[in-house]
Amino acid sequence: MLSVQTGFWRRVPQQCKRRLFARDFTIAIDGPAASGKSSTARAVAQELGFGYIDSGSIYRCATLLALRQGIGAETDEHSQKLVDLISNAAVDIRIKPNTRGPMPGVTGTGRLVVPDVQVLLDGEDVSKEIRTPEVNRLVAKVASDGGIRAAVLGIQRALAAAAETKPASTPGAATDKTAIPGGVVMDGRDIGTTVFPSAELKIYLDASAMARAIRRWDELNSQLKEKEADAAAARRQTASDELAQDSANTATPEPVGYPSVEDIARELEQRDYADINRQHSPLRIAPDAVVIDNTNLTFEQQVFSITDLARERMGLERKYDDI
């Protein structure tokens, strides 16, 4: 479902709209877990030549720090330790061209290839480590802490300011000469309500719990295959002599498993409840947000809809009405 009132924008002359929005343009994309926020936001940034910030990755970095240090947010002392850790950590989020093809769980015609995102924590690439089931299970608790959210808020705004000066270096940006430079796309759960309440375009992405569970299962299954391939490569590399070769041939890889789709659906429903009912910056639909239910949409349909909404609000012509 796509709902938005566009009558006002259609009545404003194009020249006036260009003068009004000839400045930095922020797109805030919110929604529940596994609704496709991150992949959609990256693709929209690619289409417009904007910078991109995955705010959820910052909370995942905080969660990873908590796991590594063996602390949580159960007590004020633990909470303050984690606030200090994430406040003093160097978090960098980079968007780069995708060399692996379509993402798992993304349904579409194949016309769009979602750019990759690299997350660095104190210079270490933690892009895969922050997406593990262990982090998935703890991130909601970490993100519900008010002190941690206040610390992350500052990081979000600083990263967004930096992203506006280095728009996504992707194919779409290079060919679209009418794109306004200096824009940024950020996704999360409170971007349009708390982080950037004055964002020029707010999107709320939603989907059924089962549709989201299937997407998350596809993502986890892809990670499992990558782990198995990495483990096989490591075994081959260590088999440098006959003894190591024999050991590699007889060793049984440690099995790696992920929950069923039904288990993931239950976890997502629990995460939804936690996000909606948390005390600090709960998940809400901003009053002026465009709501898109993508349960039955292709990936291209949702990306092109958001891209055209952004172009319209920047006073530019729509590109995808005939697609």
Side-chain angles (χ1 to χ4, degrees):
M1 179 180 69
L2 176 62
S3 59
V4 62
Q5 294 181 345
T6 59
F8 167 77
W9 299 107
R10 289 174 179 165
R11 291 195 299 269
V12 176
Q14 292 294 315
Q15 295 85 349
C16 293
K17 286 193 284 187
R18 287 194 180 94
R19 285 195 296 270
L20 182 62
F21 290 110
R23 57 182 175 83
D24 294 341
F25 191 92
T26 301
I27 301 177
I29 300 181
D30 291 307
S35 59
K37 301 184 300 294
S38 178
S39 56
T40 300
R42 277 182 272 164
V44 170
Q46 173 177 263
E47 288 298 299
L48 294 169
F50 281 6
Y52 165 72
I53 300 297
D54 174 11
S55 69
S57 292
I58 308 172
Y59 288 104
R60 288 177 174 275
C61 284
T63 304
L64 181 59
L65 287 172
L67 288 170
R68 288 179 171 181
Q69 297 294 324
I71 61 175
E74 292 85 1
T75 67
D76 290 343
E77 181 182 1
H78 287 172
S79 173
Q80 188 56 50
K81 285 183 179 179
L82 191 50
V83 168
D84 293 340
L85 281 173
I86 192 62
S87 297
N88 293 310
V91 179
D92 192 14
I93 301 174
R94 302 175 181 176
I95 189 171
K96 57 183 182 178
N98 184 330
T99 58
R100 298 173 292 103
M103 287 183 63
V106 173
T107 302
T109 64
R111 296 184 57 176
L112 280 176
V113 177
V114 182
D116 284 330
V117 64
Q118 182 183 43
V119 181
L120 300 177
L121 177 61
D122 292 326
E124 176 190 356
D125 188 345
V126 295
S127 306
K128 293 182 180 179
E129 198 170 354
I130 62 172
R131 301 288 175 183
T132 61
E134 293 77 17
V135 172
N136 289 344
R137 284 191 287 268
L138 185 60
V139 65
K141 180 180 291 186
V142 171
S144 67
D145 183 86
I148 295 171
R149 296 199 71 85
V152 169
L153 178 62
I155 298 173
Q156 289 171 312
R157 289 175 174 167
L159 286 173
E164 288 175 348
T165 66
K166 51 176 183 179
S169 56
T170 50
T175 57
D176 185 4
K177 302 302 182 182
T178 60
I180 295 179
V184 65
V185 184
M186 180 179 289
D187 68 273
R189 289 173 175 77
D190 63 345
I191 309 304
T193 54
T194 302
V195 183
F196 291 114
S198 299
E200 285 78 8
L201 176 60
K202 301 177 186 178
I203 302 293
Y204 188 91
L205 279 185
D206 204 357
S208 68
M210 186 53 65
R212 292 185 285 133
I214 292 172
R215 295 169 189 169
R216 179 57 57 84
W217 186 90
D218 283 341
E219 177 185 348
L220 294 175
N221 190 51
S222 177
Q223 291 177 359
L224 171 60
K225 292 179 180 178
E226 287 185 10
K227 283 185 177 181
E228 291 175 340
D230 291 344
R235 290 194 300 273
R236 289 192 299 269
Q237 186 174 358
T238 57
S240 56
D241 52 41
E242 187 175 351
L243 179 62
Q245 182 68 57
D246 292 340
S247 175
N249 288 337
T250 58
T252 301
E254 182 180 350
V256 180
Y258 287 110
S260 67
V261 171
E262 291 75 15
D263 290 337
I264 294 174
R266 283 190 289 271
E267 285 187 4
L268 289 176
E269 289 173 345
Q270 293 171 359
R271 177 70 194 271
D272 291 346
Y273 181 85
D275 288 336
I276 292 171
N277 292 283
R278 68 187 178 213
Q279 180 180 359
H280 305 283
S281 300
L283 175 63
R284 293 285 188 271
I285 301 176
D288 53 345
V290 180
V291 179
I292 299 178
D293 186 326
N294 61 20
T295 301
N296 298 309
L297 294 180
T298 68
F299 184 64
E300 284 87 350
Q301 285 175 327
Q302 65 193 41
V303 170
F304 291 159
S305 294
I306 296 171
T307 300
D308 269 349
L309 282 170
R311 291 179 62 86
E312 187 176 40
R313 296 197 179 188
M314 288 187 289
L316 304 173
E317 293 182 1
R318 297 171 65 91
K319 290 179 61 176
Y320 302 109
D321 285 335
D322 297 330
I323 296 178

